[in-house]
Amino acid sequence: MENNTSTIEMLFEKAEEYTRTTVELMKLQAVDKAADVTSSLLSRIVVSIVFVLFAFLFNIGLSLWVGEFLGKAYYGFFIVSSFYLLVAIILYIVKDKALKTPIRNFIIVRMLKKN
């Protein structure tokens, strides 16, 4: 009878150890996925910042160039800013399809990606 009890205790100990290991594995997988998503987003943010700086300087040059053709520098800034206002209105109208959905899909794909 005592041998049977020790076997059951060993079985419970093994089950408890298996449960702890499984929980630890799930935690590590969650950390891995979070790190993957975060690093991907941060790398995209860095590239986006560099692109924004380029676009900013390019637009200043374009505004000055257009203003030179029109005779007044501020005319070029008005024309370029009007173009961006039009782009902003279009993006506002299609924001779910053009912005939210791709970002949501990117995060889902990254979270469900198998290693």
Side-chain angles (χ1 to χ4, degrees):
M1 185 73 172
E2 190 176 312
N3 189 16
N4 198 12
T5 305
S6 65
T7 306
I8 291 174
E9 287 176 1
M10 279 183 30
L11 181 63
F12 279 124
E13 287 175 12
K14 294 280 186 188
E16 186 179 349
E17 184 179 328
Y18 175 76
T19 303
R20 273 194 237 125
T21 304
T22 303
V23 169
E24 188 67 26
L25 180 62
M26 284 189 216
K27 286 180 188 176
L28 291 173
Q29 286 174 336
V31 167
D32 181 50
K33 293 294 181 184
D36 185 40
V37 170
T38 304
S39 65
S40 295
L41 287 175
L42 285 177
S43 66
R44 287 175 184 247
I45 287 171
V46 168
V47 170
S48 297
I49 288 172
V50 171
F51 179 75
V52 165
L53 287 173
F54 163 76
F56 179 71
L57 293 173
F58 178 80
N59 285 308
I60 289 174
L62 181 65
S63 297
L64 291 171
W65 185 60
V66 169
E68 186 178 313
F69 280 122
L70 298 177
K72 302 275 185 181
Y74 59 87
Y75 287 164
F77 284 94
F78 285 141
I79 289 173
V80 171
S81 65
S82 298
F83 168 74
Y84 281 109
L85 177 63
L86 180 64
V87 170
I89 291 170
I90 292 170
L91 283 176
Y92 180 77
I93 292 170
V94 297
K95 68 182 174 208
D96 284 341
K97 194 174 196 177
L99 297 173
K100 276 176 84 174
T101 303
I103 292 171
R104 183 183 318 132
N105 289 343
F106 169 77
I107 292 173
I108 289 170
V109 165
R110 282 295 192 178
M111 292 296 280
L112 296 178
K113 182 183 100 176
K114 298 286 183 190
N115 291 336

